[in-house]
Amino acid sequence: RWVDYTIKEKDTLWGLAVKKFHVNVDDLIRDNGIQDPRKIQPGQKIRVRLPSYPGPMKVVASWYGKEHHGRAMANGEIFDMNAATIAHKQIPLGTRVELENPSTGERAKAVVADRGPYVAGRDVDLSYGLAKKLSLVEKGVGPLVMHVRG
């Protein structure tokens, strides 16, 4: 599915990709044949290919906390170990997800804000705060069901 968008004053491709449309900035650049992303102009029209996601996905989750607290994440923001953020290798930054622990029925909403995990066999890294809400702190690693909300 595609949407048309007119560039506004102070828009950046990064901001549009990550904050507004939750798409990969490289796709936005490629889909619109943009040669120099710094030279977009108010009034310029672009097309945005909105992502589509399958239904619920079974994922293996781990978590990260203190050792990364206060460091920059892939989205440029500072990691807060108690915030509702996750790391995923491919889902566009800024995408909202809902996670469920099938063993406990606990649910939590989160935003993809970082890249990872970088350990084989793991699909998502949760902030400590999310891991606590989903009863994964003690186990360290466990199965979850993830719904991508966009």
Side-chain angles (χ1 to χ4, degrees):
R1 191 174 119 226
W2 293 81
V3 295
D4 294 322
Y5 181 79
T6 302
I7 302 293
K8 295 177 180 55
E9 195 74 37
K10 297 186 182 180
D11 275 345
T12 64
L13 289 179
W14 175 262
L16 292 172
V18 173
K19 302 290 184 187
K20 183 167 182 68
F21 294 109
H22 315 296
V23 298
N24 288 314
V25 70
D26 291 335
D27 292 342
L28 196 58
I29 292 167
R30 185 175 40 258
D31 290 345
N32 288 282
I34 296 170
Q35 300 299 317
D36 187 345
R38 297 168 296 180
K39 293 184 178 178
I40 61 170
Q41 299 292 321
Q44 181 179 346
K45 296 188 183 311
I46 61 171
R47 295 199 55 162
V48 182
R49 182 173 17 122
L50 298 177
S52 61
Y53 296 99
M57 296 177 269
K58 293 180 181 180
V59 295
V60 176
S62 52
W63 64 271
Y64 62 130
K66 262 187 191 173
E67 68 278 4
H68 295 279
H69 188 73
R71 293 186 184 178
M73 295 183 289
N75 69 356
E77 296 175 12
I78 300 301
F79 177 65
D80 176 351
M81 65 187 255
N82 296 300
T85 59
I86 69 168
H88 191 278
K89 291 177 192 149
Q90 298 166 332
I91 294 176
L93 297 172
T95 301
R96 294 175 301 278
V97 299
E98 185 173 10
L99 301 154
E100 178 184 357
N101 184 331
S103 301
T104 64
E106 296 162 318
R107 289 176 168 255
K109 294 180 180 179
V111 175
V112 178
D114 209 357
R115 292 294 178 221
Y118 298 105
V119 176
R122 298 183 191 175
D123 303 304
V124 297
D125 267 340
L126 313 176
S127 65
Y128 169 80
L130 281 173
K132 193 171 175 181
K133 284 182 185 176
L134 295 167
S135 299
L136 279 182
V137 171
E138 295 299 319
K139 278 178 84 175
V141 178
L144 295 177
V145 176
M146 183 170 70
H147 304 262
V148 177
R149 301 295 186 209

